[in-house]
Amino acid sequence: MEYQAAIFTALSDPIRLRSLALLAREGELCVCELTHALAANQPKISKHMAALRDCGLVTDRRDAQWVLYSLAADIPQWVKDAVTAAVAGATQDYLHAEDVLRLKSMPARTPRKRASGV
């Protein structure tokens, strides 16, 4: 039951849920994009992304000085279903629309290919 509790604990935090919704929409984002979109500081975003990575919901990769995050693909189907449902709920909130607008307005943002989502 520890794994299940860790998944639902991760999904229960608003910053982590908003981050997952942005990752589902965009495919891959760097910490700087997440800090801009969520209007939060880098240490806070990095802490939340580490929690998501530790429970297996996101993966990260380095690209020069950037750490890029994306939704994990190799998770059990019930976890995919839970994340999909949580993200669907999060995208209905006005904060998600504000996050997307802030992300789109980020100056000098490098476009990346989109993933297919959860």
Side-chain angles (χ1 to χ4, degrees):
M1 284 295 221
E2 271 186 50
Y3 178 63
Q4 293 86 343
I7 295 299
F8 287 107
T9 298
L11 294 175
S12 71
D13 183 89
I15 292 288
R16 292 192 287 261
L17 188 52
R18 289 166 62 196
S19 298
L20 289 172
L22 287 171
L23 290 171
R25 182 186 196 298
E26 298 294 320
E28 184 175 62
L29 293 169
C30 70
V31 171
C32 62
E33 290 170 313
L34 289 164
T35 60
H36 189 85
L38 300 171
N41 63 41
Q42 182 273 322
K44 182 175 191 169
I45 295 300
S46 291
K47 178 188 83 156
H48 285 293
M49 297 313 293
L52 291 171
R53 184 190 61 234
D54 290 348
C55 71
L57 293 179
V58 300
T59 59
D60 64 349
R61 71 177 183 88
R62 277 207 161 290
D63 184 7
Q65 73 268 29
W66 294 283
V67 177
L68 301 159
Y69 290 93
S70 58
L71 294 176
D74 58 344
I75 54 178
Q77 188 59 49
W78 73 266
V79 176
K80 286 181 185 179
D81 295 342
V83 171
T84 299
V87 164
T91 60
Q92 301 302 309
D93 191 275
Y94 75 95
L95 285 175
H96 178 68
E98 291 177 1
D99 295 342
V100 170
L101 286 174
R102 275 192 299 274
L103 183 61
K104 286 182 178 180
S105 72
M106 183 177 176
R109 184 171 171 233
T110 305
R112 282 186 209 82
K113 69 176 185 175
R114 288 181 176 228
S116 60
V118 179

